[in-house]
Amino acid sequence: RVLERGIMVEPGDSFGFAAALNFILHNDTFRRNAGETARRFVRDRFTKERLIQDIENLYNSILAASSNRRYA
């Protein structure tokens, strides 16, 4: 299945995987557009600030769960 950021192939579908690679190899426009879209997706969603916030949230949830078990 062709998506905006790449191609999705069912696990174990080696023929589908080969066809997807062949499509990407021979389609410059798709390859360029999918690469740019994927790059923007990662840049926008995985900023340093967001990763720090996600780690802080994880630590806080672990600490909260730990303190709840101590007093249960």
Side-chain angles (χ1 to χ4, degrees):
R1 185 166 53 135
V2 176
L3 304 171
E4 186 178 351
R5 294 183 299 264
I7 298 177
M8 184 180 292
V9 178
E10 291 294 323
D13 182 2
S14 56
F15 291 111
F17 184 66
L21 288 177
N22 191 49
F23 175 79
I24 292 169
L25 180 65
H26 293 97
N27 192 324
D28 293 339
T29 301
F30 173 80
R31 189 173 57 244
R32 196 173 310 109
N33 290 340
E36 286 296 322
T37 303
R39 195 172 295 110
R40 276 194 308 274
F41 176 84
V42 170
R43 184 193 65 221
D44 294 345
R45 285 165 182 77
F46 298 99
T47 64
K48 179 175 62 173
E49 292 78 14
R50 168 140 182 235
L51 294 176
I52 290 169
Q53 186 63 52
D54 288 349
I55 291 169
E56 286 179 355
N57 292 342
L58 175 63
Y59 285 161
N60 288 332
S61 68
I62 291 169
L63 289 173
S66 175
S67 66
N68 287 341
R69 270 189 262 149
R70 227 181 284 152
Y71 301 109

